[in-house]
Amino acid sequence: MDHRRFGFVIGIINVLYYILITIYFLVIIIKTEIQHEENISLALYIMACVSSLIMIALSILMIVGISKLRHYYIAPWLIFTAFGLITGSILMSVMGYIIPIWELINSVTLIATTSLSCYSIYLLWRDIKNGIYSNDSRTPEQAQPPPYVHSCNFDNFVITEEVF
């Protein structure tokens, strides 16, 4: 699969995932407010909801960057995802001793798939930054040749037959 198409798929999956996460945390916040519970976890839920909204915006920005071939639109998603991977790995290594094994396997799987998708988006970002992708929708065979090809003039070039 092409890096651009894979980037679109990752962007759409991210948007849908973070929308579901935001709805989940909003339900928990509303449930906590209705029950009038005063605990510190409410602040964590609000922070998680806000960070999910930020990731929705960054995922949409990444999709726009891929469609318009703008590498600087993709960079914020890469930075925040890399930060999330690092903090998630640290938390998993610290909390790995006290959480059940199925949650540990779930965390490892999430970090592994996010790492692979982040690396693929990084390759796309690098290719766009280096100019490998262009806005030309034609295939490379149909596209115009580079300007240095037209600079050679072979009209006055005469081939003569030499006798040895």
Side-chain angles (χ1 to χ4, degrees):
M1 182 184 288
D2 185 31
H3 286 295
R4 282 185 76 186
R5 289 183 186 159
F6 187 71
F8 282 123
V9 170
I10 293 300
I12 291 169
I13 289 172
N14 272 334
V15 168
L16 295 175
Y17 173 76
Y18 285 114
I19 286 173
L20 291 175
I21 293 295
T22 303
I23 291 171
Y24 173 74
F25 283 121
L26 284 175
V27 167
I28 289 176
I29 291 169
I30 292 170
K31 182 181 171 185
T32 305
E33 285 293 322
I34 288 174
Q35 295 175 353
H36 300 294
E37 293 180 5
E38 297 288 331
N39 48 356
I40 199 157
S41 65
L42 182 63
L44 294 175
Y45 293 138
I46 292 172
M47 188 174 75
C49 187
V50 169
S51 66
S52 294
L53 290 172
I54 290 170
M55 284 307 293
I56 290 171
L58 291 178
S59 297
I60 292 171
L61 188 66
M62 180 186 71
I63 292 171
V64 171
I66 292 171
S67 66
K68 293 186 179 220
L69 297 173
R70 303 285 191 256
H71 64 89
Y72 44 86
Y73 287 175
I74 302 170
W77 184 88
L78 283 171
I79 292 168
F80 276 83
T81 303
F83 178 74
L85 283 172
I86 292 169
T87 56
S89 298
I90 291 171
L91 283 175
M92 186 185 67
S93 65
V94 170
M95 301 293 287
Y97 298 108
I98 57 175
I99 60 175
I101 189 71
W102 61 85
E103 289 184 20
L104 184 64
I105 292 172
N106 186 24
S107 297
V108 169
T109 305
L110 181 66
I111 288 174
T113 55
T114 305
S115 298
L116 289 174
S117 63
C118 189
Y119 181 69
S120 180
I121 299 298
Y122 166 74
L123 292 177
L124 174 65
W125 173 83
R126 187 187 66 190
D127 290 346
I128 291 173
K129 185 177 179 187
N130 292 335
I132 293 175
Y133 285 99
S134 67
N135 286 327
D136 195 1
S137 63
R138 297 175 291 183
T139 61
E141 292 83 21
Q142 296 172 334
Q144 293 292 329
Y148 59 83
V149 174
H150 294 296
S151 65
C152 296
N153 187 2
F154 292 107
D155 293 337
N156 296 332
F157 191 72
V158 178
I159 299 175
T160 60
E161 192 174 311
E162 293 183 5
V163 179
F164 292 107

